Amino acid sequence: MKKIICLVVMGLFFAAAPVSVVFADENPKADIVILNPNFETAKNQISEELNLSDKQQKKADKIYINAKEKITVLNKQINEKQQEARAIKLSRIDTRVQLEKLIKINNEVGILYQTRDKIHNNAMRKFDSLLNKNQIKIWNDMKLNGARFFPEIETMI
């Protein structure tokens, strides 16, 4: 009798809990791009402190834009894979099959993260190659003390 009551209660509990998967296309906030308001001011400060010429500034902007486009695409792919993993976790498929699919997705996400890091590092190397010796010294000092450009990060820690 107790087993039957427990099964009925559990059935009601799971039936009452709606399970929904929200994909990026259905999420109205997915298209909203949140920009850091301090980014532009930090970018201008860096440019002024490094004393970049107009030619250097144009090349740096081009490097940044190209890298950002590629990284944005990779971030979307990572997000899609993470959504897929969430959907698999919520599915009622066999645990072994579920685990195999999650391992596969995890490996794919790892590759995407590595690709994103390579793009970022290549962009940083290209930017470093634009600078002269004096600017490189200043840039290395700025990277060591980089948190001063985004003071809200220090308050979050």
PDB file of all heavy atoms in Angstrom, residues 3-4 10 49 52 60 100-101 104 118 128 143:
ATOM      1  N   LYS A   3       3.865   1.513  -1.124  1.00  0.00           N
ATOM      2  CA  LYS A   3       4.522   1.623  -2.424  1.00  0.00           C
ATOM      3  C   LYS A   3       3.607   2.278  -3.443  1.00  0.00           C
ATOM      4  O   LYS A   3       4.044   3.110  -4.246  1.00  0.00           O
ATOM      5  CB  LYS A   3       4.965   0.244  -2.925  1.00  0.00           C
ATOM      6  CG  LYS A   3       6.110  -0.348  -2.149  1.00  0.00           C
ATOM      7  CD  LYS A   3       6.516  -1.668  -2.730  1.00  0.00           C
ATOM      8  CE  LYS A   3       7.642  -2.285  -1.914  1.00  0.00           C
ATOM      9  NZ  LYS A   3       8.053  -3.582  -2.459  1.00  0.00           N
ATOM     10  N   ILE A   4       2.365   1.916  -3.417  1.00  0.00           N
ATOM     11  CA  ILE A   4       1.404   2.480  -4.371  1.00  0.00           C
ATOM     12  C   ILE A   4       1.241   3.972  -4.115  1.00  0.00           C
ATOM     13  O   ILE A   4       1.236   4.776  -5.055  1.00  0.00           O
ATOM     14  CB  ILE A   4       0.044   1.744  -4.270  1.00  0.00           C
ATOM     15  CG1 ILE A   4       0.215   0.298  -4.730  1.00  0.00           C
ATOM     16  CG2 ILE A   4      -1.016   2.454  -5.106  1.00  0.00           C
ATOM     17  CD1 ILE A   4      -0.997  -0.564  -4.518  1.00  0.00           C
ATOM     18  N   MET A  10       4.863  10.348  -6.534  1.00  0.00           N
ATOM     19  CA  MET A  10       5.966  10.626  -7.455  1.00  0.00           C
ATOM     20  C   MET A  10       5.447  10.925  -8.853  1.00  0.00           C
ATOM     21  O   MET A  10       5.949  11.814  -9.539  1.00  0.00           O
ATOM     22  CB  MET A  10       6.956   9.450  -7.486  1.00  0.00           C
ATOM     23  CG  MET A  10       7.801   9.353  -6.228  1.00  0.00           C
ATOM     24  SD  MET A  10       8.898   7.931  -6.184  1.00  0.00           S
ATOM     25  CE  MET A  10       9.777   8.064  -7.708  1.00  0.00           C
ATOM     26  N   GLU A  49      48.249  55.423 -24.098  1.00  0.00           N
ATOM     27  CA  GLU A  49      49.457  55.085 -23.338  1.00  0.00           C
ATOM     28  C   GLU A  49      50.532  54.460 -24.219  1.00  0.00           C
ATOM     29  O   GLU A  49      51.716  54.696 -24.029  1.00  0.00           O
ATOM     30  CB  GLU A  49      49.122  54.156 -22.171  1.00  0.00           C
ATOM     31  CG  GLU A  49      48.459  54.882 -21.023  1.00  0.00           C
ATOM     32  CD  GLU A  49      48.385  54.043 -19.767  1.00  0.00           C
ATOM     33  OE1 GLU A  49      49.380  53.360 -19.453  1.00  0.00           O
ATOM     34  OE2 GLU A  49      47.336  54.078 -19.117  1.00  0.00           O
ATOM     35  N   LEU A  52      49.985  54.858 -30.026  1.00  0.00           N
ATOM     36  CA  LEU A  52      49.868  54.192 -31.320  1.00  0.00           C
ATOM     37  C   LEU A  52      49.668  55.219 -32.429  1.00  0.00           C
ATOM     38  O   LEU A  52      48.911  56.178 -32.270  1.00  0.00           O
ATOM     39  CB  LEU A  52      48.684  53.220 -31.327  1.00  0.00           C
ATOM     40  CG  LEU A  52      48.759  52.015 -30.407  1.00  0.00           C
ATOM     41  CD1 LEU A  52      47.467  51.223 -30.481  1.00  0.00           C
ATOM     42  CD2 LEU A  52      49.942  51.139 -30.739  1.00  0.00           C
ATOM     43  N   ALA A  60      45.499  47.466 -35.701  1.00  0.00           N
ATOM     44  CA  ALA A  60      45.028  46.854 -34.454  1.00  0.00           C
ATOM     45  C   ALA A  60      43.508  46.645 -34.497  1.00  0.00           C
ATOM     46  O   ALA A  60      43.010  45.591 -34.078  1.00  0.00           O
ATOM     47  CB  ALA A  60      45.415  47.722 -33.258  1.00  0.00           C
ATOM     48  N   GLU A 100      27.470   8.441 -23.447  1.00  0.00           N
ATOM     49  CA  GLU A 100      28.279   8.426 -24.675  1.00  0.00           C
ATOM     50  C   GLU A 100      28.091   9.719 -25.469  1.00  0.00           C
ATOM     51  O   GLU A 100      29.060  10.304 -25.972  1.00  0.00           O
ATOM     52  CB  GLU A 100      27.929   7.216 -25.537  1.00  0.00           C
ATOM     53  CG  GLU A 100      28.392   5.893 -24.952  1.00  0.00           C
ATOM     54  CD  GLU A 100      27.863   4.691 -25.715  1.00  0.00           C
ATOM     55  OE1 GLU A 100      27.073   4.876 -26.671  1.00  0.00           O
ATOM     56  OE2 GLU A 100      28.228   3.564 -25.343  1.00  0.00           O
ATOM     57  N   LYS A 101      26.841  10.156 -25.594  1.00  0.00           N
ATOM     58  CA  LYS A 101      26.562  11.395 -26.328  1.00  0.00           C
ATOM     59  C   LYS A 101      27.175  12.605 -25.619  1.00  0.00           C
ATOM     60  O   LYS A 101      27.724  13.493 -26.258  1.00  0.00           O
ATOM     61  CB  LYS A 101      25.050  11.593 -26.499  1.00  0.00           C
ATOM     62  CG  LYS A 101      24.427  10.654 -27.497  1.00  0.00           C
ATOM     63  CD  LYS A 101      22.957  10.956 -27.681  1.00  0.00           C
ATOM     64  CE  LYS A 101      22.344  10.038 -28.716  1.00  0.00           C
ATOM     65  NZ  LYS A 101      20.945  10.391 -28.990  1.00  0.00           N
ATOM     66  N   LYS A 104      30.897  12.720 -26.209  1.00  0.00           N
ATOM     67  CA  LYS A 104      31.168  13.194 -27.574  1.00  0.00           C
ATOM     68  C   LYS A 104      31.019  14.713 -27.662  1.00  0.00           C
ATOM     69  O   LYS A 104      31.875  15.406 -28.210  1.00  0.00           O
ATOM     70  CB  LYS A 104      30.225  12.508 -28.558  1.00  0.00           C
ATOM     71  CG  LYS A 104      30.440  12.912 -29.996  1.00  0.00           C
ATOM     72  CD  LYS A 104      29.438  12.259 -30.909  1.00  0.00           C
ATOM     73  CE  LYS A 104      29.617  12.816 -32.319  1.00  0.00           C
ATOM     74  NZ  LYS A 104      28.468  12.510 -33.160  1.00  0.00           N
ATOM     75  N   LYS A 118      43.357  29.564 -29.733  1.00  0.00           N
ATOM     76  CA  LYS A 118      44.370  29.762 -30.774  1.00  0.00           C
ATOM     77  C   LYS A 118      44.126  31.060 -31.535  1.00  0.00           C
ATOM     78  O   LYS A 118      45.064  31.810 -31.813  1.00  0.00           O
ATOM     79  CB  LYS A 118      44.376  28.586 -31.749  1.00  0.00           C
ATOM     80  CG  LYS A 118      44.999  27.338 -31.204  1.00  0.00           C
ATOM     81  CD  LYS A 118      44.953  26.208 -32.213  1.00  0.00           C
ATOM     82  CE  LYS A 118      45.478  24.922 -31.603  1.00  0.00           C
ATOM     83  NZ  LYS A 118      45.356  23.780 -32.526  1.00  0.00           N
ATOM     84  N   ASP A 128      51.110  42.299 -30.931  1.00  0.00           N
ATOM     85  CA  ASP A 128      52.460  42.500 -30.394  1.00  0.00           C
ATOM     86  C   ASP A 128      53.461  42.812 -31.496  1.00  0.00           C
ATOM     87  O   ASP A 128      54.397  43.590 -31.295  1.00  0.00           O
ATOM     88  CB  ASP A 128      52.924  41.268 -29.605  1.00  0.00           C
ATOM     89  CG  ASP A 128      52.189  41.102 -28.280  1.00  0.00           C
ATOM     90  OD1 ASP A 128      51.529  42.068 -27.834  1.00  0.00           O
ATOM     91  OD2 ASP A 128      52.273  40.006 -27.692  1.00  0.00           O
ATOM     92  N   LYS A 143      49.771  44.845 -19.303  1.00  0.00           N
ATOM     93  CA  LYS A 143      49.138  43.528 -19.165  1.00  0.00           C
ATOM     94  C   LYS A 143      49.294  42.999 -17.743  1.00  0.00           C
ATOM     95  O   LYS A 143      48.388  42.348 -17.227  1.00  0.00           O
ATOM     96  CB  LYS A 143      49.742  42.531 -20.163  1.00  0.00           C
ATOM     97  CG  LYS A 143      49.280  42.775 -21.588  1.00  0.00           C
ATOM     98  CD  LYS A 143      49.619  41.630 -22.519  1.00  0.00           C
ATOM     99  CE  LYS A 143      51.054  41.617 -22.916  1.00  0.00           C
ATOM    100  NZ  LYS A 143      51.381  40.603 -23.941  1.00  0.00           N
TER     101      LYS A 143
END
